[in-house]
Amino acid sequence: MAVRDFKTRIKIKAESEDVYAALTNPFTIELWSGYPASMPEQIPGEFEMWEGDISGRILELEPDSKIIQQWYFGEQEAASLATIKIFPQGGKVQVDVLHTNIPEEAFDDIAEGWEKFILGAIKEFLEIE
């Protein structure tokens, strides 16, 4: 199965802890996504978003700075890992995403999902004045 890696970066006018919460707190996720999310109480643990459209396992959490998720894509051999790094950058917060081993047939949807439906939605949600 052919796989690809996706990389993106966004700057959000917000605090690091707010961006982190938008990616890890199920209540905050529901506010910006419009759908309930389940996040694990303990790491590693299973997570689910968009009524199961995205599911996987949270492998690592460093409060306000780093999240590592494994995303499930059926019978995939190599793990698909999303590493999200969050850090202050000149009055804003920079978010770097590196998502590896995405199946070729899912790549365009995943790339659009990160850009528009996850990071774009979080930016819109947090930058409301």
Side-chain angles (χ1 to χ4, degrees):
M1 176 189 329
V3 294
R4 289 174 63 188
D5 294 348
F6 171 77
K7 193 174 188 177
T8 191
R9 168 178 288 168
I10 189 172
K11 289 193 173 135
I12 300 173
K13 192 175 174 186
E15 299 297 323
S16 297
E17 55 267 25
D18 294 331
V19 175
Y20 181 81
L23 290 159
T24 59
N25 182 315
F27 303 105
T28 310
I29 292 167
E30 187 169 351
L31 289 174
W32 63 259
S33 74
Y35 291 94
S38 73
M39 289 286 155
E41 296 288 322
Q42 295 182 339
I43 306 308
E46 308 284 315
F47 77 94
E48 190 177 280
M49 295 172 62
W50 282 284
E51 299 176 326
D53 285 353
I54 296 174
S55 63
R57 196 168 172 77
I58 305 241
L59 302 176
E60 193 180 313
L61 291 176
E62 287 177 25
D64 308 333
S65 65
K66 186 176 173 188
I67 302 159
I68 299 179
Q69 304 171 333
Q70 177 183 351
W71 285 33
Y72 298 152
F73 291 104
E75 299 297 312
Q76 189 171 344
E77 287 178 28
S80 177
L81 297 179
T83 302
I84 305 158
K85 294 182 181 171
I86 302 163
F87 47 93
Q89 184 76 27
K92 294 187 176 184
V93 174
Q94 184 170 306
V95 183
D96 289 351
V97 174
L98 173 61
H99 193 159
T100 61
N101 288 328
I102 301 167
E104 181 71 47
E105 67 274 8
F107 184 83
D108 290 343
D109 287 343
I110 296 297
E112 183 186 29
W114 275 115
E115 297 275 2
K116 186 174 177 184
F117 299 113
I118 299 176
L119 298 174
I122 290 171
K123 181 177 171 76
E124 204 171 280
F125 171 71
L126 290 176
E127 289 186 350
I128 293 172
E129 293 295 323

